[in-house]
Amino acid sequence: MARLRLLAAVAVALSAVALLAGCSESSDGEPSAEPSATASSEPSNATGNADAGVVTWADGVCAATTDLEAAVQQVTPALQVDPAASGTALDQVKTEVAEGAGAVRVAADDLRAAVNTSPPGVVSGEVASARQELSATADRARTAAEKLAAQGAQLAEAQTPAETAAALAAAGGALAAAGTGVQAYLASLKESTESRDPVLRDSFAEAPACQARQTGASPSSSP
């Protein structure tokens, strides 16, 4: 019974992270199935209207977004474990999940801080509105990340095989919820990168970390 519960939770978590990866691809600046007339009238990498302050802010947002996605996706492999495995194997999994869940919480905190950082200079109404929407969805992702971290801590404290299996299943459910929260945030980010406001749209297009997301490169690889 414990094995079935764990496998079901892992399946849910895998599904959520797979959806997260797909949503990430659609949020990387690629044209949507039905682009707006404004977006389709200009090349996707147009930066003539970019604002230096907004570019700086957008760069931080994109970098933190990529870090959070990576943190969520790294937790999933650790959950793919047979609850009947040896005690040593389970102890290793408990450590990996607990540390990974903590990393997701840190990344979610960093994302919230990046989104809520005010761009230098004069902020337009469109940029302020985008910040507000991104902040709201980033907060929801952060709440889910905190619950995942709590489940990771409970897993680390599990003693018996039954407690460990139950904690792993709960962690799988929490990971699925975190993936869903990040998906909602990515949808908000996509709206900003495809905004009808040329300053907002072009600033995201010019930000190096946002360009890295488009090409699949890791912003952490740059100096």
Side-chain angles (χ1 to χ4, degrees), residues 3 6-7 10 77-85 89-90 93 168:
R3 177 185 174 87
L6 175 56
L7 292 178
V10 170
L79 291 173
Q80 302 177 54
V81 59
D82 187 339
L90 287 177
V93 168
L168 280 168

Side-chain angles (χ1 to χ4, degrees), residues 21-219:
C23 189
S24 171
E25 291 173 0
S26 66
S27 69
D28 289 344
E30 297 178 4
S32 59
E34 297 181 1
S36 67
T38 301
S40 62
S41 64
E42 297 181 13
S44 60
N45 62 347
T47 57
N49 298 295
D51 176 271
V54 181
V55 170
T56 298
W57 169 75
D59 189 60
V61 169
C62 284
T65 297
T66 300
D67 289 345
L68 177 56
E69 288 177 302
V72 171
Q73 291 170 356
Q74 287 174 1
V75 178
T76 304
L79 291 173
Q80 302 177 54
V81 59
D82 187 339
S86 67
T88 301
L90 287 177
D91 286 343
Q92 182 177 354
V93 168
K94 288 162 62 175
T95 299
E96 290 177 354
V97 172
E99 292 179 351
V104 171
R105 181 181 58 187
V106 171
D109 287 342
D110 290 345
L111 173 62
R112 184 173 181 272
V115 169
N116 289 328
T117 298
S118 180
V122 178
V123 178
S124 69
E126 290 79 4
V127 173
S129 178
R131 275 186 61 215
Q132 184 176 11
E133 177 60 27
L134 287 171
S135 179
T137 53
D139 279 347
R140 290 196 287 272
R142 179 173 175 266
T143 297
E146 289 177 339
K147 292 180 180 178
L148 174 60
Q151 291 296 341
Q154 288 186 10
L155 174 61
E157 296 174 356
Q159 300 296 322
T160 67
E163 290 177 347
T164 299
L168 280 168
L175 176 60
T180 300
V182 176
Q183 288 174 46
Y185 161 77
L186 288 173
S188 296
L189 179 61
K190 185 173 185 290
E191 290 181 2
S192 294
T193 61
E194 298 179 353
S195 173
R196 291 179 179 272
D197 174 47
V199 172
L200 182 61
R201 183 181 66 250
D202 289 356
S203 294
F204 269 102
E206 186 173 304
C210 301
Q211 292 177 351
R213 287 175 58 77
Q214 294 179 26
T215 61
S218 171

